[in-house]
Every structure is written in structure tokens, then in C-alpha cells.
Amino acid sequence: MSITDFNCTYNNGAGVNEEIVQKTKLKFPDAYKNWEDMAVLAKEIKNHEDASFCTLPFCHTLEGEALGAVINYGDERIGPRGKDYLTSSIEDLLSISELDFSKGRLAEVLKACSYLRQEGENVALYISGPFTILNLLIDLRYVFKAFKKSPEVMEKILEKLRVELLRFIREAQNMGVNIFSYGDSSGGLNILGPKLSEQIVEMFTYPLLKEAQQIITEDSIMLLCPKTSFALIGTNKAKWKDVELVESMKYDKACVSMIGKAKFLGEMCIKNKNYILKDRVIKSIELI
């Protein structure tokens, strides 16, 4: 088995285009916090980029904040990012509370998703992987140390995160989300190395996606970060399947066209919306 890495060229905290800021006249960072502004911003970004779906939230800090991390909301130039860790003790993470979908920014994001779907928009929701979440709660040096010295503790923490993410996916599905985007920018092969990357696929990624596959309806689809896709393929947990498209089209449009025809896609980054599939073929991912 050998995992191939994917060279990501996108910044997780890129901010908002100045033209969009001027057009919407939204105030930042308030626009990242309430559902009405989120909906306006998501729709305007979609139109500005000539995209096929709205994308929420505008960062990868949502789950970490809901679990207790302190977030710097930034402004229109730099989006939300981590500010202060919740703890420096790995054991403390065993007692973090469950995600509460009724309050805070988490609730606001779900309301925005629901509203946009009612308005007829396709809505893509970012779901962060374990290392992206943990990187907001605790310095990852303690996490890597725990994998060596207290693997049983890390196994329990990962199981807790897996359960919470599945709850999140189920709740978002109930709110109408029809496109899920899963990635773990802090947990790529270039950071974890081959051995731990393989271990995470076995302990977390594969079990998560196997269960998510049952939650996601025929009216929904999940787009995987290519780093995740290659990790699954490289550990023989999934395989590619070529699916013919009716015409050459942009990647984001092709993803929408595959709803109901595949559960997982992941050959290209969700942010690379303008990538043209010239050969009229898109690769779906089938879990083994």
C-alpha cells in the first residue's frame, strides 16, 4: 500500500473579494456570525464565481469553535481562524461537550443552509476532519505525542469526533444540505507521514465515510478533498470509477450533475470550480 499526496494550493482563510464586500455592504466579522448575512454572502460569492452551488461556512473553524476553541473572526480580508487553544492536556479532550445545533455559529450556519435551499440553491457544507478540528482545540504536538504514548486515549478521542461529525452530517441533511465537502487540511500525508496516515484511514476516515454513506440520501452527494481520496485509494479502502458526462463541463457543474448517481467524488478540490473536464469523464469514489 502506498498513499500519494495531493499538492493543495488553496488557502483556508482567503477572505472575501473586495468587489463582493462593496456590493453587499455587509459588516465584518458580523457577516460570518448571523444566518441572514451568511446567506447573502454565500449567494453573492456563488454569483461572482459563476459557481453551481453556495458554500458554507467561510472557514474551517466551525466544529472546533462549537467544541470549545476560541476563534478570531477576522475581517473581510482574512476569515475566521484559531485564536486560543481549549487545553494543553490531551485527556481533557475526552470530556468535551457534544455539538449543540441549537446555538452559536453552528446553528446560524444551519439556518443559512436551510434558507438557501428553500430559495432553490444547491448548498455545499464544509465538514472538517479530525486534525483540522484538533488543531483548534490543542497544539498538535500533544496529539502526535499521544499517538505514541497514549494510543488508547487518541482512539477514544477520534471515536468521539467521528460520532459528532456523523451527528452534524445528519442534522445538516435534515436542514436540506445536498452537497457535503469533507477535508482535513491539517491531516494530510505531508503532515502525518505514511504510517500515521494509514492508521487514520483505518481508525477514522473509512469508518466515518462508511456510515456517512448510509446517512446521505439519493438527493445528496459528498465531495472529498483529494488528499482524503488518495489516502483511501492508497490503503485499498476505495476505488475510482469513471462516469461519463453528457458534455464537457466545469468541475462544480459536474459535481451537481452527479447527485443521485454517486455518493462520493474527489479527484479535484472543491475550490477549483472552473476546472474543465474536457474528456467528459468524472471519477466517482466507491468504498470497498
Side-chain angles (χ1 to χ4, degrees):
M1 293 187 291
S2 178
I3 299 174
T4 302
D5 200 9
F6 178 82
N7 182 28
C8 181
T9 58
Y10 289 94
N11 186 337
N12 283 341
V16 180
N17 181 284
E18 187 176 344
E19 184 180 327
I20 295 173
V21 175
Q22 295 296 326
K23 186 174 182 179
T24 60
K25 292 182 169 52
L26 293 173
K27 302 297 182 184
F28 290 83
D30 292 347
Y32 299 131
K33 299 180 184 180
N34 67 82
W35 75 264
E36 293 99 336
D37 286 356
M38 287 181 196
V40 169
L41 184 56
K43 199 166 184 177
E44 197 56 49
I45 291 173
K46 175 219 165 192
N47 293 336
H48 180 80
E49 296 179 348
D50 189 27
S52 298
F53 46 77
C54 298
T55 306
L56 285 164
F58 311 107
C59 64
H60 296 275
T61 65
L62 185 66
E63 299 95 335
E65 180 186 28
L67 292 171
V70 180
I71 302 301
N72 181 338
Y73 288 107
D75 52 31
E76 67 273 22
R77 294 181 299 277
I78 302 175
R81 58 202 185 278
K83 183 179 180 181
D84 290 318
Y85 294 127
L86 174 66
T87 182
S88 60
S89 169
I90 201 74
E91 284 75 15
D92 286 349
L93 299 180
L94 292 170
S95 57
I96 53 176
S97 59
E98 295 181 346
L99 294 174
D100 188 340
F101 306 118
S102 67
K103 66 180 184 180
R105 193 157 57 105
L106 190 58
E108 297 297 307
V109 167
L110 291 170
K111 288 176 189 175
C113 290
S114 178
Y115 172 79
L116 288 167
R117 286 293 288 144
Q118 290 172 28
E119 290 287 298
E121 299 287 350
N122 293 304
V123 176
L125 177 69
Y126 285 132
I127 303 289
S128 295
F131 286 91
T132 300
I133 297 172
L134 289 171
N135 194 34
L136 295 166
L137 299 172
I138 190 171
D139 190 320
L140 284 184
R141 288 179 298 175
Y142 297 114
V143 173
F144 296 136
K145 189 180 295 183
F147 269 107
K148 295 180 179 179
K149 295 189 174 182
S150 308
E152 69 288 345
V153 174
M154 282 312 307
E155 190 171 349
K156 289 177 181 178
I157 291 169
L158 289 177
E159 173 62 13
K160 186 175 183 65
L161 291 178
R162 186 184 69 84
V163 169
E164 291 306 304
L165 288 184
L166 289 169
R167 289 182 61 239
F168 187 24
I169 292 169
R170 188 175 285 107
E171 184 69 19
Q173 181 84 86
N174 292 338
M175 297 294 277
V177 170
N178 64 334
I179 302 172
F180 295 89
S181 173
Y182 177 81
D184 197 8
S185 59
S186 296
L189 178 67
N190 59 320
I191 297 173
L192 304 186
K195 185 176 180 181
L196 186 53
S197 292
E198 183 179 332
Q199 193 177 347
I200 294 305
V201 171
E202 293 277 355
M203 293 173 61
F204 188 91
T205 314
Y206 183 69
L208 174 81
L209 297 181
K210 283 291 280 187
E211 195 159 346
Q213 186 173 243
Q214 303 305 314
I215 297 172
I216 297 170
T217 68
E218 291 301 314
D219 299 322
S220 305
I221 198 166
M222 181 171 280
L223 313 181
L224 304 179
C225 166
K227 286 180 177 286
T228 300
S229 302
F230 291 163
L232 290 165
I233 300 295
T235 52
N236 295 325
K237 294 297 185 182
K239 60 183 180 180
W240 298 112
K241 179 182 178 182
D242 287 351
V243 182
E244 191 171 343
L245 300 168
V246 295
E247 60 183 356
S248 176
M249 64 180 75
K250 293 196 304 178
Y251 185 65
D252 68 324
K253 184 179 179 181
C255 289
V256 173
S257 76
M258 288 297 291
I259 295 176
K261 299 175 184 176
K263 283 295 180 81
F264 301 105
L265 301 174
E267 65 181 288
M268 184 56 60
C269 178
I270 187 177
K271 295 178 183 177
N272 198 356
K273 300 180 179 73
N274 292 319
Y275 177 79
I276 304 294
L277 296 163
K278 296 178 181 178
D279 58 359
R280 299 191 304 167
V281 172
I282 191 168
K283 292 182 181 294
S284 69
I285 296 171
E286 295 186 345
L287 299 180
I288 296 172

